[in-house]
Amino acid sequence: MARTDQDPNGPDQDGTPGAGHSAPDTTATGRPEPDRPRPGAGTGARHLPWLAALAIAYALTHHTGVGLAWLGSIGDTRWADWIDLITPYAVLLPAAAALRAGRAGPRIWALYLAGAITYVEGHGIHLAANSVGNVAPSDIAHLWDEYAGHYLWYGGVTLVFTALAAALATRPAAPGPWPVVLALLTGLTFTTNALEGQFAVPALLLSAAFSAWGWTTRRHLGRVLAIAFAPALLMLIAYGIWHQGFPEPTELGWI
């Protein structure tokens, strides 16, 4: 006598899954399709507050000399010089926290470390030479401040920005107006530093590269690169054409 109580969830007579089972996704070879984690899955948006903190710290600390000049001097040094000692901490720690929140890989951390070391060395050279030059100006103080110090300092921050972009540019875009505001503030800071720091020509090339990177990742968080550096590129070009070169704003009496 034929059985009529067959388990509806069991296999049919031809060996295929019953109504209560679904066949796993398979590839063309018949093997189950493995789950592919989405970029940034599991990391949420924990990197965004750190990026915001970095943008604010970068804009404030990289304008310390001008913004805090009103504090005056303490002995032969300026208060702004002493406050400028916090700059590497204020900039590099939020950048590291953003990379950690974004679960950056070893190669990204290696790039960040190279940038951080270069940044700290350049900033230290700039701070010391600039402070000495304010009291006893000389060609050697100018060389270490305006060229050696600035090129290492701004080259270091460029490597840090590159590490952040490599780790986070393809993450979901940040909503709201604040990412745009902070990106524009970052681009403005990059521009003023380049003009006052004898770094305008390298800054032109770097702004173009970051703008292109931002365009290719414009559907993601990387769009902030274009928002920051495309205006920076335009400002540098306009400034160079207007003045037929890149004189420092202090030479023009702007600061």
Side-chain angles (χ1 to χ4, degrees):
M1 184 175 179
R3 293 179 57 190
T4 60
D5 58 347
Q6 183 177 5
D7 183 2
N9 292 329
D12 295 336
Q13 291 182 356
D14 60 357
T16 59
H21 291 281
S22 59
D25 294 335
T26 59
T27 62
T29 61
R31 296 176 181 176
E33 178 74 21
D35 293 333
R36 291 191 177 95
R38 290 173 288 114
T43 63
R46 291 176 296 172
H47 52 281
L48 295 179
W50 292 114
L51 290 177
L54 168 61
I56 295 170
Y58 174 64
L60 292 177
T61 59
H62 277 239
H63 290 128
T64 299
V66 175
L68 298 181
W70 59 273
L71 290 176
S73 300
I74 173 173
D76 290 332
T77 61
R78 300 183 306 169
W79 278 107
D81 296 338
W82 291 96
I83 296 172
D84 198 16
L85 289 170
I86 70 171
T87 294
Y89 302 97
V91 171
L92 296 176
L93 291 179
L99 290 176
R100 184 178 183 276
R103 298 182 182 178
R107 286 182 293 183
I108 300 297
W109 278 111
L111 179 60
Y112 168 80
L113 181 61
I117 292 172
T118 306
Y119 181 95
V120 170
E121 182 177 34
H123 175 265
I125 292 172
H126 151 77
L127 176 57
N130 186 64
S131 185
V132 170
N134 287 333
V135 178
S138 67
D139 291 341
I140 192 65
H142 182 80
L143 170 65
W144 283 105
D145 176 20
E146 295 294 332
Y147 292 98
H150 286 164
Y151 271 70
L152 288 170
W153 188 16
Y154 301 152
V157 81
T158 298
L159 292 177
V160 171
F161 286 168
T162 301
L164 289 166
L168 304 173
T170 56
R171 302 296 171 87
W178 282 110
V180 175
V181 173
L182 294 176
L184 290 173
L185 189 61
T186 298
L188 178 62
T189 302
F190 189 82
T191 303
T192 58
N193 283 190
L195 292 175
E196 188 62 25
Q198 303 286 340
F199 197 72
V201 174
L204 279 169
L205 301 176
L206 293 170
S207 296
F210 278 126
S211 297
W213 197 346
W215 175 256
T216 61
T217 55
R218 62 190 180 277
R219 301 184 187 279
H220 308 284
L221 181 60
R223 70 176 62 172
V224 296
L225 291 171
I227 296 171
F229 289 99
L233 178 61
L234 294 177
M235 285 188 288
L236 288 169
I237 292 173
Y239 188 95
I241 293 174
W242 182 16
H243 296 287
Q244 298 181 350
F246 297 98
E248 296 182 21
T250 51
E251 294 177 2
L252 300 174
W254 292 7
I255 299 176

